[in-house]
Amino acid sequence: QVQLVESGGGFVQAGGSLRLSCVASESLFSINVMGWYRQGPGEQRELIARITSGGKTNYADSVKGRFTISRDNAKNTAYLQMNSLKPEDTAVYFCNADKGWAIYWGQGTQVTVSS
């Protein structure tokens, strides 16, 4: 069982930046893919960024060029740097760990972007 704890959410004005962190209870070397998802009010949860153990990244079109995912295996932490935030980025952001045979979720952190 992998425990994931997100932090770094908050309230920011449009154009601002936030960095989300996701600390895992075990080494990221044992986790194939770390991902960030978000779920806005009345919307389905969507994948916005993922990073493999080899460092390959993928982004949703809606955040490409503005968000950057990274992982620090030594700190058991994945990050999501969010720049040029827009009101439509307002959502609960969830960290996800995919070990191949099991998937784990954090509790989520709220990001609110005002116009």
Side-chain angles (χ1 to χ4, degrees):
Q1 186 84 5
V2 179
Q3 308 293 328
L4 301 172
V5 179
E6 301 103 333
S7 63
F11 185 92
V12 65
Q13 290 189 331
S17 298
L18 285 173
R19 188 177 80 155
L20 306 183
S21 299
C22 173
V23 180
S25 59
E26 65 180 65
S27 171
L28 295 193
F29 287 112
S30 67
I31 300 175
N32 295 340
V33 182
M34 295 294 296
W36 285 97
Y37 290 68
R38 69 185 181 188
Q39 186 167 14
E43 298 178 356
Q44 291 187 332
R45 192 172 298 188
E46 62 170 341
L47 173 65
I48 56 172
R50 63 193 295 272
I51 183 168
T52 69
S53 56
K56 181 178 178 181
T57 59
N58 298 95
Y59 297 92
D61 288 343
S62 59
V63 306
K64 199 172 294 183
R66 300 188 297 123
F67 292 9
T68 302
I69 189 171
S70 60
R71 59 194 286 169
D72 186 336
N73 291 340
K75 295 183 178 180
N76 296 353
T77 303
Y79 301 97
L80 185 68
Q81 177 66 42
M82 305 186 296
N83 298 328
S84 302
L85 283 161
K86 305 175 181 180
E88 52 263 44
D89 294 319
T90 294
V92 179
Y93 284 70
F94 297 90
C95 178
N96 168 284
D98 184 350
K99 298 188 70 173
W101 64 88
I103 294 175
Y104 303 93
W105 293 92
Q107 81 289 350
T109 184
Q110 176 70 46
V111 172
T112 303
V113 185
S114 67
S115 58

